[in-house]
Amino acid sequence: MAFAAGTALALLPGCGGESTPPSDSGTFFGPSQPLGNGTVRTYTTLDDGGRPTEVGLRLSATALDGLPETNTGLPPTLMLDFPDQASATAFDHVMLNWNPQGHEPPELFGKPHFDFHFDMVDMATIQAIIASDPDYAAKAERAPETKYVPQDYVVPPGAPAAAQAVPGMGVHLIDFSDGSLVPGSYDFEHIVINGTWDGRYTFIEPMITREWLLTDPTSQQPLKLPQAYHKSAYYPTTYGVHVDEQSKDYVISLAGMTMREAS
């Protein structure tokens, strides 16, 4: 079961993070980039003590219009920096992929949808995940210790991890306890995938259909969490999607940020 094969091969460089020093509280935004007929940008929210409580993306109201409808060449990929105020979180940037005809396996994820990789490694590391790397297969097969991986997440059954690895992304993991993932009957709207590379837990990936976003959904759910962490940082405990009543932005959030110590 391969995910988004080839969608990360034409990476668009993100702009640098904002240069203003972190403030004590409020919501702060990364640089915006064009998406469809609108824009997309990252954000982070800090509490009164300057601690991050939430990170996420805001897609403007028109961002879902004017998107490519077919896979002519590589689907659009954006690399979106977080503002400096997100530096205490585990996240470096977001990779956004628009898949106008879905991706493999089509019987599960064949609907037009977005992949939002919240990456916990830097862009250089992501761009170095290439099939021509002589250690590509070994890095793909080098799974983290189980304690560092969110509960119930595994490499999909079938081909070995090296065959399922996606250049520019890594190895995707699914929640094996999710009984709805049945080819032919699964009604894909949104799902959380996780990912690894070279022995580390490297990304959280909400995958969300355009069709579902257009229903103006409101959803909040707990994330499945690891038992341990490689890096001391703030990590999310919830995932949410909603539409801002005032701006009409589509908001994808990772919230409930909690400090975790490396162990």
Side-chain angles (χ1 to χ4, degrees):
M1 184 184 295
F3 290 81
T7 59
L9 300 183
L11 302 183
L12 301 182
C15 300
E18 293 179 351
S19 59
T20 56
S23 299
D24 289 336
S25 65
T27 296
F28 305 87
F29 298 94
S32 66
Q33 293 194 41
L35 179 66
N37 292 339
T39 60
V40 58
R41 57 181 175 168
T42 61
Y43 73 89
T44 189
T45 300
L46 306 183
D47 66 15
D48 289 341
R51 295 174 291 269
T53 61
E54 182 175 328
V55 298
L57 288 169
R58 281 181 169 260
L59 285 64
S60 68
T62 55
L64 302 190
D65 301 323
L67 293 163
E69 295 182 1
T70 59
N71 286 326
T72 54
L74 293 172
T77 298
L78 299 177
M79 302 295 273
L80 298 152
D81 276 311
F82 280 105
D84 290 345
Q85 288 81 4
S87 60
T89 75
F91 301 105
D92 182 80
H93 64 277
V94 177
M95 178 197 299
L96 183 158
N97 301 98
W98 164 242
N99 304 283
Q101 295 174 302
H103 59 61
E104 296 181 355
E107 60 272 21
L108 292 178
F109 305 123
K111 293 182 181 180
H113 71 273
F114 295 97
D115 295 342
F116 302 106
H117 287 77
F118 285 75
D119 284 321
M120 292 178 275
V121 292
D122 61 24
M123 292 186 193
T125 299
I126 292 296
Q127 292 171 334
I129 303 175
I130 52 177
S132 60
D133 178 356
D135 296 324
Y136 180 82
K139 290 176 180 178
E141 295 289 348
R142 191 174 296 127
E145 292 181 55
T146 302
K147 66 180 180 179
Y148 294 115
V149 177
Q151 180 184 357
D152 298 330
Y153 276 83
V154 299
V155 177
Q164 298 192 45
V166 180
M169 295 182 181
V171 176
H172 295 72
L173 310 180
I174 61 169
D175 181 355
F176 80 87
S177 71
D178 185 351
S180 70
L181 289 171
V182 178
S185 64
Y186 177 58
D187 184 16
F188 174 35
E189 293 181 336
H190 67 121
I191 190 171
V192 176
I193 305 295
N194 282 282
T196 64
W197 187 251
D198 197 17
R200 297 186 72 89
Y201 172 37
T202 53
F203 64 81
I204 300 173
E205 181 195 1
M207 299 195 332
I208 305 175
T209 68
R210 178 180 181 274
E211 179 183 32
W212 187 66
L213 283 173
L214 288 172
T215 68
D216 293 350
T218 298
S219 175
Q220 188 82 14
Q221 64 186 61
L223 289 169
K224 292 193 171 182
L225 307 176
Q227 296 176 329
Y229 298 83
H230 281 114
K231 175 185 175 182
S232 296
Y234 283 86
Y235 292 82
T237 58
T238 65
Y239 148 68
V241 180
H242 74 275
V243 176
D244 186 298
E245 291 185 359
Q246 293 185 335
S247 68
K248 305 305 180 184
D249 288 349
Y250 299 94
V251 183
I252 294 91
S253 64
L254 298 182
M257 286 286 178
T258 303
M259 184 66 188
R260 310 291 190 184
E261 298 294 337
S263 62

